[in-house]
């Protein structure tokens, strides 16, 4: 294994790229440029190829979100689930107490609902079963994405909210927006993953859409309360 000093000299590594990533190295498209990955794994085989495959995976998933949105809206309407509007209480920002912060509470609710959803047995007819079989990879991937971000979203928002009490203004802004951006990307990807599941397990549409609606509310509230997070440029990852 190479020493940290040796690794630091490698001009291919992007300094600090790991500061605001999601730590999902197996799915990362920057492993070949990340010293943190190299230190932990010491793998230099075909990283560029792996990175490319991973980049394509995330692109495909992002495509799912826009492609399936209309279908999701129609389904939500059918069940009377509002995907777009916040309640009056949700419109009121509250930065006072992190434990009771509305954003954190909603994230906890999301964690609970999604955990419960995966615990429930899903009964499907033969036709659906065959369809799922043909889509098994998609379902597996979507589940992995949801699982990976399930708790990370809350952790990253907590971190972003915590910075409101920090005194170093420059660090505060970077850390707040960097952390919140990871959470927002996690929400986008989780939404796309839930759309994949909805597309396959149609008879669970109502329970899936309730989770989707909650995630969308979390996203809206976060974008309102942390307005600069979306446009924050994370070194390497967003450049
Ligand atoms: S940037 Fe990628 S490879 Fe590096 S620590 Fe983050 S997820 Fe892992």
């Amino acid at each position: 294994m190479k020493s940290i000093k040796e690794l630091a000299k490698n001009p291919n590594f992007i300094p600090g790229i790991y500061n605001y990533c999601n730590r999902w190295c197996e799915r990362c498209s920057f492993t070949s440029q990340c010293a943190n990955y190299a230190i932990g794994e010491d793998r230099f085989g075909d990283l560029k190829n792996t990175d490319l495959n991973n980049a394509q995976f995330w692109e495909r998933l992002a495509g799912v979100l826009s492609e399936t949105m209309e279908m999701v809206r129609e389904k939500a309407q059918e069940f009377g689930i509002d995907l777009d509007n916040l309640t009056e209480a949700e419109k009121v920002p509250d930065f006072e107490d992190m434990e009771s912060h509305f954003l954190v509470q909603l994230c906890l609710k999301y964690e609970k609902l999604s955990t419960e959803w995966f615990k429930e047995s899903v009964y499907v007819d033969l036709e659906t079963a065959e369809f799922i079989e043909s889509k098994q990879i998609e379902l597996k991937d979507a589940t992995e994405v949801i699982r990976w971000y399930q708790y990370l979203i809350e952790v990253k928002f907590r971190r972003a909210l915590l910075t409101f009490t920090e005194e170093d203004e420059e660090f505060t802004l970077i850390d707040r927006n960097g952390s919140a951006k990871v959470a927002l990307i996690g929400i986008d990807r989780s939404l796309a993953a839930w759309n994949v599941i909805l597309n396959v397990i149609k008879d669970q549409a109502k329970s899936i859409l309730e989770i989707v609606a909650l995630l969308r509310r979390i996203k809206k509230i976060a974008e309102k309360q942390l307005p600069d997070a979306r446009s924050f440029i994370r070194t390497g990852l967003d450049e």
Side-chain angles (χ1 to χ4, degrees), residues 17-18 21-25 28-31 34 36-37 237:
I17 189 171
Y18 39 78
C21 67
N22 62 12
R23 294 295 165 131
W24 195 357
C25 302
C28 182
S29 42
F30 293 90
T31 55
C34 177
N36 193 56
Y37 182 84
L237 300 168

PDB file of all heavy atoms in Angstrom, residues 17-18 21-25 28-31 34 36-37 237, ligand 1:
ATOM      1  N   ILE A  17     -11.977  16.324  -2.574  1.00  0.00           N
ATOM      2  CA  ILE A  17     -13.195  15.860  -3.274  1.00  0.00           C
ATOM      3  C   ILE A  17     -14.112  15.063  -2.340  1.00  0.00           C
ATOM      4  O   ILE A  17     -15.330  15.051  -2.490  1.00  0.00           O
ATOM      5  CB  ILE A  17     -12.827  15.022  -4.532  1.00  0.00           C
ATOM      6  CG1 ILE A  17     -14.078  14.749  -5.367  1.00  0.00           C
ATOM      7  CG2 ILE A  17     -12.079  13.757  -4.177  1.00  0.00           C
ATOM      8  CD1 ILE A  17     -13.814  14.142  -6.710  1.00  0.00           C
ATOM      9  N   TYR A  18     -13.513  14.427  -1.356  1.00  0.00           N
ATOM     10  CA  TYR A  18     -14.274  13.572  -0.428  1.00  0.00           C
ATOM     11  C   TYR A  18     -14.992  14.352   0.675  1.00  0.00           C
ATOM     12  O   TYR A  18     -15.716  13.779   1.475  1.00  0.00           O
ATOM     13  CB  TYR A  18     -13.311  12.549   0.222  1.00  0.00           C
ATOM     14  CG  TYR A  18     -11.975  13.160   0.557  1.00  0.00           C
ATOM     15  CD1 TYR A  18     -11.823  13.956   1.673  1.00  0.00           C
ATOM     16  CD2 TYR A  18     -10.888  12.991  -0.297  1.00  0.00           C
ATOM     17  CE1 TYR A  18     -10.603  14.570   1.953  1.00  0.00           C
ATOM     18  CE2 TYR A  18      -9.671  13.591  -0.030  1.00  0.00           C
ATOM     19  CZ  TYR A  18      -9.540  14.391   1.099  1.00  0.00           C
ATOM     20  OH  TYR A  18      -8.345  15.003   1.369  1.00  0.00           O
ATOM     21  N   CYS A  21     -18.973  14.357  -0.419  1.00  0.00           N
ATOM     22  CA  CYS A  21     -19.494  13.267  -1.240  1.00  0.00           C
ATOM     23  C   CYS A  21     -20.455  12.437  -0.386  1.00  0.00           C
ATOM     24  O   CYS A  21     -20.668  12.740   0.779  1.00  0.00           O
ATOM     25  CB  CYS A  21     -18.346  12.399  -1.743  1.00  0.00           C
ATOM     26  SG  CYS A  21     -17.532  11.513  -0.407  1.00  0.00           S
ATOM     27  N   ASN A  22     -20.999  11.381  -0.961  1.00  0.00           N
ATOM     28  CA  ASN A  22     -21.944  10.564  -0.185  1.00  0.00           C
ATOM     29  C   ASN A  22     -21.276   9.337   0.447  1.00  0.00           C
ATOM     30  O   ASN A  22     -21.951   8.503   1.032  1.00  0.00           O
ATOM     31  CB  ASN A  22     -23.127  10.139  -1.068  1.00  0.00           C
ATOM     32  CG  ASN A  22     -22.682   9.283  -2.245  1.00  0.00           C
ATOM     33  OD1 ASN A  22     -21.536   8.815  -2.285  1.00  0.00           O
ATOM     34  ND2 ASN A  22     -23.564   9.061  -3.198  1.00  0.00           N
ATOM     35  N   ARG A  23     -19.964   9.199   0.268  1.00  0.00           N
ATOM     36  CA  ARG A  23     -19.179   8.085   0.839  1.00  0.00           C
ATOM     37  C   ARG A  23     -19.600   6.708   0.302  1.00  0.00           C
ATOM     38  O   ARG A  23     -19.304   5.699   0.923  1.00  0.00           O
ATOM     39  CB  ARG A  23     -19.243   8.101   2.375  1.00  0.00           C
ATOM     40  CG  ARG A  23     -18.556   9.310   2.979  1.00  0.00           C
ATOM     41  CD  ARG A  23     -17.077   9.256   2.690  1.00  0.00           C
ATOM     42  NE  ARG A  23     -16.433  10.535   2.924  1.00  0.00           N
ATOM     43  CZ  ARG A  23     -15.325  10.702   3.632  1.00  0.00           C
ATOM     44  NH1 ARG A  23     -14.755   9.650   4.179  1.00  0.00           N
ATOM     45  NH2 ARG A  23     -14.783  11.876   3.769  1.00  0.00           N
ATOM     46  N   TRP A  24     -20.264   6.707  -0.811  1.00  0.00           N
ATOM     47  CA  TRP A  24     -20.636   5.425  -1.423  1.00  0.00           C
ATOM     48  C   TRP A  24     -19.600   5.133  -2.504  1.00  0.00           C
ATOM     49  O   TRP A  24     -19.863   5.274  -3.700  1.00  0.00           O
ATOM     50  CB  TRP A  24     -22.031   5.518  -2.015  1.00  0.00           C
ATOM     51  CG  TRP A  24     -22.643   4.185  -2.333  1.00  0.00           C
ATOM     52  CD1 TRP A  24     -22.078   2.946  -2.207  1.00  0.00           C
ATOM     53  CD2 TRP A  24     -23.962   3.956  -2.842  1.00  0.00           C
ATOM     54  NE1 TRP A  24     -22.956   1.965  -2.592  1.00  0.00           N
ATOM     55  CE2 TRP A  24     -24.121   2.553  -2.989  1.00  0.00           C
ATOM     56  CE3 TRP A  24     -25.020   4.788  -3.186  1.00  0.00           C
ATOM     57  CZ2 TRP A  24     -25.303   1.977  -3.466  1.00  0.00           C
ATOM     58  CZ3 TRP A  24     -26.190   4.215  -3.664  1.00  0.00           C
ATOM     59  CH2 TRP A  24     -26.329   2.829  -3.793  1.00  0.00           C
ATOM     60  N   CYS A  25     -18.432   4.718  -2.092  1.00  0.00           N
ATOM     61  CA  CYS A  25     -17.308   4.567  -3.019  1.00  0.00           C
ATOM     62  C   CYS A  25     -17.610   3.563  -4.134  1.00  0.00           C
ATOM     63  O   CYS A  25     -17.199   3.767  -5.281  1.00  0.00           O
ATOM     64  CB  CYS A  25     -16.057   4.159  -2.262  1.00  0.00           C
ATOM     65  SG  CYS A  25     -15.611   5.343  -0.975  1.00  0.00           S
ATOM     66  N   CYS A  28     -19.247   5.418  -6.807  1.00  0.00           N
ATOM     67  CA  CYS A  28     -18.702   6.743  -7.095  1.00  0.00           C
ATOM     68  C   CYS A  28     -18.020   6.775  -8.464  1.00  0.00           C
ATOM     69  O   CYS A  28     -17.366   5.824  -8.865  1.00  0.00           O
ATOM     70  CB  CYS A  28     -17.705   7.133  -6.009  1.00  0.00           C
ATOM     71  SG  CYS A  28     -17.029   8.775  -6.254  1.00  0.00           S
ATOM     72  N   SER A  29     -18.199   7.892  -9.166  1.00  0.00           N
ATOM     73  CA  SER A  29     -17.555   8.020 -10.476  1.00  0.00           C
ATOM     74  C   SER A  29     -16.250   8.804 -10.396  1.00  0.00           C
ATOM     75  O   SER A  29     -15.721   9.252 -11.406  1.00  0.00           O
ATOM     76  CB  SER A  29     -18.524   8.656 -11.478  1.00  0.00           C
ATOM     77  OG  SER A  29     -19.230   9.705 -10.899  1.00  0.00           O
ATOM     78  N   PHE A  30     -15.719   8.976  -9.167  1.00  0.00           N
ATOM     79  CA  PHE A  30     -14.478   9.725  -9.006  1.00  0.00           C
ATOM     80  C   PHE A  30     -13.417   8.940  -8.228  1.00  0.00           C
ATOM     81  O   PHE A  30     -12.484   9.535  -7.695  1.00  0.00           O
ATOM     82  CB  PHE A  30     -14.761  11.051  -8.281  1.00  0.00           C
ATOM     83  CG  PHE A  30     -15.585  12.002  -9.095  1.00  0.00           C
ATOM     84  CD1 PHE A  30     -16.967  11.984  -9.013  1.00  0.00           C
ATOM     85  CD2 PHE A  30     -14.984  12.911  -9.950  1.00  0.00           C
ATOM     86  CE1 PHE A  30     -17.738  12.852  -9.775  1.00  0.00           C
ATOM     87  CE2 PHE A  30     -15.747  13.778 -10.716  1.00  0.00           C
ATOM     88  CZ  PHE A  30     -17.123  13.755 -10.628  1.00  0.00           C
ATOM     89  N   THR A  31     -13.561   7.636  -8.158  1.00  0.00           N
ATOM     90  CA  THR A  31     -12.603   6.870  -7.351  1.00  0.00           C
ATOM     91  C   THR A  31     -11.167   7.066  -7.835  1.00  0.00           C
ATOM     92  O   THR A  31     -10.238   7.114  -7.030  1.00  0.00           O
ATOM     93  CB  THR A  31     -12.938   5.364  -7.370  1.00  0.00           C
ATOM     94  OG1 THR A  31     -12.997   4.933  -8.726  1.00  0.00           O
ATOM     95  CG2 THR A  31     -14.245   5.060  -6.685  1.00  0.00           C
ATOM     96  N   CYS A  34      -9.677  10.242  -6.250  1.00  0.00           N
ATOM     97  CA  CYS A  34      -9.921  10.464  -4.821  1.00  0.00           C
ATOM     98  C   CYS A  34      -8.847   9.810  -3.956  1.00  0.00           C
ATOM     99  O   CYS A  34      -8.711   8.589  -3.925  1.00  0.00           O
ATOM    100  CB  CYS A  34     -11.293   9.904  -4.447  1.00  0.00           C
ATOM    101  SG  CYS A  34     -11.667  10.055  -2.704  1.00  0.00           S
ATOM    102  N   ASN A  36      -8.787   9.697  -0.775  1.00  0.00           N
ATOM    103  CA  ASN A  36      -9.424   8.988   0.324  1.00  0.00           C
ATOM    104  C   ASN A  36      -9.733   7.538  -0.080  1.00  0.00           C
ATOM    105  O   ASN A  36      -9.520   6.598   0.688  1.00  0.00           O
ATOM    106  CB  ASN A  36     -10.722   9.710   0.713  1.00  0.00           C
ATOM    107  CG  ASN A  36     -11.255   9.209   2.025  1.00  0.00           C
ATOM    108  OD1 ASN A  36     -10.574   9.238   3.030  1.00  0.00           O
ATOM    109  ND2 ASN A  36     -12.472   8.720   2.002  1.00  0.00           N
ATOM    110  N   TYR A  37     -10.191   7.373  -1.293  1.00  0.00           N
ATOM    111  CA  TYR A  37     -10.473   6.028  -1.798  1.00  0.00           C
ATOM    112  C   TYR A  37      -9.169   5.240  -1.899  1.00  0.00           C
ATOM    113  O   TYR A  37      -9.095   4.082  -1.490  1.00  0.00           O
ATOM    114  CB  TYR A  37     -11.141   6.118  -3.166  1.00  0.00           C
ATOM    115  CG  TYR A  37     -11.504   4.762  -3.730  1.00  0.00           C
ATOM    116  CD1 TYR A  37     -12.689   4.137  -3.378  1.00  0.00           C
ATOM    117  CD2 TYR A  37     -10.640   4.101  -4.609  1.00  0.00           C
ATOM    118  CE1 TYR A  37     -13.023   2.895  -3.884  1.00  0.00           C
ATOM    119  CE2 TYR A  37     -10.972   2.850  -5.111  1.00  0.00           C
ATOM    120  CZ  TYR A  37     -12.159   2.253  -4.753  1.00  0.00           C
ATOM    121  OH  TYR A  37     -12.476   1.015  -5.240  1.00  0.00           O
ATOM    122  N   LEU A 237     -16.674  17.226  -7.717  1.00  0.00           N
ATOM    123  CA  LEU A 237     -17.930  16.532  -7.980  1.00  0.00           C
ATOM    124  C   LEU A 237     -18.888  17.321  -8.863  1.00  0.00           C
ATOM    125  O   LEU A 237     -19.643  16.744  -9.638  1.00  0.00           O
ATOM    126  CB  LEU A 237     -18.629  16.185  -6.651  1.00  0.00           C
ATOM    127  CG  LEU A 237     -17.836  15.290  -5.697  1.00  0.00           C
ATOM    128  CD1 LEU A 237     -18.483  15.258  -4.328  1.00  0.00           C
ATOM    129  CD2 LEU A 237     -17.721  13.870  -6.249  1.00  0.00           C
TER     130      LEU A 237
HETATM  131  S1  LIG B   1     -15.276  11.001  -3.517  1.00  0.00           S
HETATM  132 FE1  LIG B   1     -16.024   8.988  -4.147  1.00  0.00          FE
HETATM  133  S2  LIG B   1     -14.311   7.599  -3.843  1.00  0.00           S
HETATM  134 FE2  LIG B   1     -13.867   9.463  -2.671  1.00  0.00          FE
HETATM  135  S3  LIG B   1     -14.635   8.998  -0.586  1.00  0.00           S
HETATM  136 FE3  LIG B   1     -16.263  10.032  -1.733  1.00  0.00          FE
HETATM  137  S4  LIG B   1     -17.519   8.369  -2.564  1.00  0.00           S
HETATM  138 FE4  LIG B   1     -15.543   7.484  -1.986  1.00  0.00          FE
END
